[in-house]
Amino acid sequence: MIERFGLAVLALVAIVLLAYVVRWGTRGWQARLVARQRLATGQPMLLYFSGPWCVLCRQQEPALEQARRLSPVSFQLRNVDVAGEAELARRFGVLTVPTTVVIDRHGAVRAINNGLVSAQALLKQLRDC
Protein backbone atom coordinates (compact mmCIF):
# COMPACT_ATOMS: atom_id res chain seq x y z
CA MET A 1 0.00 0.00 0.00
CA ILE A 2 2.74 2.48 0.97
CA GLU A 3 4.72 1.50 -2.12
CA ARG A 4 1.77 2.29 -4.38
CA PHE A 5 1.27 5.64 -2.68
CA GLY A 6 4.98 6.44 -3.13
CA LEU A 7 4.84 5.50 -6.81
CA ALA A 8 1.71 7.62 -7.32
CA VAL A 9 3.40 10.64 -5.70
CA LEU A 10 6.55 10.08 -7.76
CA ALA A 11 4.48 9.86 -10.97
CA LEU A 12 2.62 13.05 -10.07
CA VAL A 13 5.87 14.90 -9.40
CA ALA A 14 7.29 13.65 -12.72
CA ILE A 15 4.21 14.88 -14.61
CA VAL A 16 4.36 18.32 -12.96
CA LEU A 17 8.09 18.63 -13.74
CA LEU A 18 7.54 17.56 -17.34
CA ALA A 19 4.74 20.13 -17.74
CA TYR A 20 7.00 22.84 -16.30
CA VAL A 21 9.88 21.95 -18.64
CA VAL A 22 7.60 21.93 -21.68
CA ARG A 23 6.07 25.27 -20.71
CA TRP A 24 9.49 26.83 -20.03
CA GLY A 25 10.87 25.59 -23.36
CA THR A 26 7.84 26.80 -25.28
CA ARG A 27 8.06 30.23 -23.68
CA GLY A 28 11.71 30.56 -24.72
CA TRP A 29 10.89 29.43 -28.24
CA GLN A 30 8.04 31.93 -28.47
CA ALA A 31 10.29 34.77 -27.25
CA ARG A 32 12.91 33.91 -29.87
CA LEU A 33 10.22 33.80 -32.55
CA VAL A 34 8.88 37.22 -31.51
CA ALA A 35 12.43 38.65 -31.45
CA ARG A 36 13.05 37.29 -34.95
CA GLN A 37 9.77 38.69 -36.28
CA ARG A 38 10.53 42.14 -34.91
CA LEU A 39 14.13 42.18 -36.12
CA ALA A 40 13.72 40.71 -39.61
CA THR A 41 13.98 44.00 -41.49
CA GLY A 42 15.16 42.84 -44.90
CA GLN A 43 18.63 44.20 -44.31
CA PRO A 44 21.38 43.34 -41.84
CA MET A 45 21.24 44.96 -38.42
CA LEU A 46 23.88 45.65 -35.82
CA LEU A 47 22.51 45.93 -32.29
CA TYR A 48 24.83 47.87 -29.99
CA PHE A 49 24.00 47.26 -26.32
CA SER A 50 25.39 49.97 -24.05
CA GLY A 51 24.64 52.13 -21.04
CA PRO A 52 25.19 55.80 -20.23
CA TRP A 53 27.55 54.86 -17.36
CA CYS A 54 29.75 52.63 -19.58
CA VAL A 55 33.19 54.06 -20.35
CA LEU A 56 34.13 51.22 -22.72
CA CYS A 57 30.95 51.87 -24.69
CA ARG A 58 32.24 55.32 -25.64
CA GLN A 59 35.45 53.67 -26.87
CA GLN A 60 33.41 51.26 -29.03
CA GLU A 61 31.52 53.99 -30.89
CA PRO A 62 34.34 55.03 -33.29
CA ALA A 63 34.68 51.41 -34.48
CA LEU A 64 30.93 51.26 -35.10
CA GLU A 65 31.02 54.45 -37.15
CA GLN A 66 34.07 53.21 -39.09
CA ALA A 67 32.26 49.94 -39.86
CA ARG A 68 29.24 51.91 -41.05
CA ARG A 69 31.42 54.07 -43.30
CA LEU A 70 33.49 51.24 -44.80
CA SER A 71 30.89 48.50 -45.13
CA PRO A 72 29.92 47.64 -48.70
CA VAL A 73 26.70 46.21 -47.22
CA SER A 74 24.05 48.64 -46.02
CA PHE A 75 22.96 47.82 -42.45
CA GLN A 76 20.95 49.34 -39.65
CA LEU A 77 22.83 50.36 -36.53
CA ARG A 78 20.61 50.38 -33.46
CA ASN A 79 21.88 51.62 -30.11
CA VAL A 80 20.13 49.74 -27.29
CA ASP A 81 20.26 51.13 -23.75
CA VAL A 82 20.30 48.03 -21.54
CA ALA A 83 18.51 49.84 -18.72
CA GLY A 84 15.72 51.13 -20.95
CA GLU A 85 15.30 47.95 -23.01
CA ALA A 86 16.08 45.26 -20.46
CA GLU A 87 13.77 42.72 -22.11
CA LEU A 88 15.63 42.93 -25.42
CA ALA A 89 18.96 42.64 -23.61
CA ARG A 90 17.67 39.58 -21.76
CA ARG A 91 16.53 37.93 -24.99
CA PHE A 92 20.03 38.17 -26.39
CA GLY A 93 21.70 37.13 -23.15
CA VAL A 94 23.53 40.42 -22.73
CA LEU A 95 25.37 40.40 -19.41
CA THR A 96 28.12 42.94 -20.15
CA VAL A 97 28.35 46.15 -22.08
CA PRO A 98 29.40 46.94 -24.70
CA THR A 99 27.92 44.01 -26.59
CA THR A 100 27.27 43.97 -30.32
CA VAL A 101 24.92 41.53 -32.04
CA VAL A 102 25.07 41.02 -35.81
CA ILE A 103 21.72 39.98 -37.31
CA ASP A 104 21.30 39.02 -40.95
CA ARG A 105 18.51 40.28 -43.20
CA HIS A 106 16.32 37.29 -42.27
CA GLY A 107 16.53 38.02 -38.54
CA ALA A 108 19.02 35.25 -37.65
CA VAL A 109 21.80 36.08 -35.20
CA ARG A 110 25.16 35.72 -36.95
CA ALA A 111 27.54 36.89 -34.21
CA ILE A 112 27.58 38.16 -30.64
CA ASN A 113 30.59 40.17 -29.45
CA ASN A 114 31.02 40.83 -25.73
CA GLY A 115 33.35 43.72 -24.99
CA LEU A 116 35.22 45.88 -27.45
CA VAL A 117 35.35 44.70 -31.07
CA SER A 118 37.29 46.18 -33.97
CA ALA A 119 35.70 47.67 -37.06
CA GLN A 120 37.48 45.03 -39.17
CA ALA A 121 35.88 42.20 -37.17
CA LEU A 122 32.45 43.80 -37.54
CA LEU A 123 32.96 44.22 -41.28
CA LYS A 124 33.91 40.55 -41.61
CA GLN A 125 30.80 39.50 -39.67
CA LEU A 126 28.53 41.80 -41.71
CA ARG A 127 29.98 40.67 -45.04
CA ASP A 128 28.15 37.34 -44.93
CA CYS A 129 24.77 38.82 -44.02
Side-chain angles (χ1 to χ4, degrees), residues 109-127:
V109 174
R110 293 297 186 160
I112 297 177
N113 305 296
N114 297 310
L116 295 174
V117 62
S118 68
Q120 290 74 25
L122 290 171
L123 288 169
K124 185 177 180 182
Q125 293 168 351
L126 286 163
R127 188 176 322 146

Side-chain angles (χ1 to χ4, degrees), residues 12-27:
L12 182 62
V13 168
I15 290 171
V16 169
L17 284 175
L18 181 62
Y20 179 77
V21 168
V22 168
R23 184 176 179 203
W24 178 76
T26 303
R27 197 174 340 166

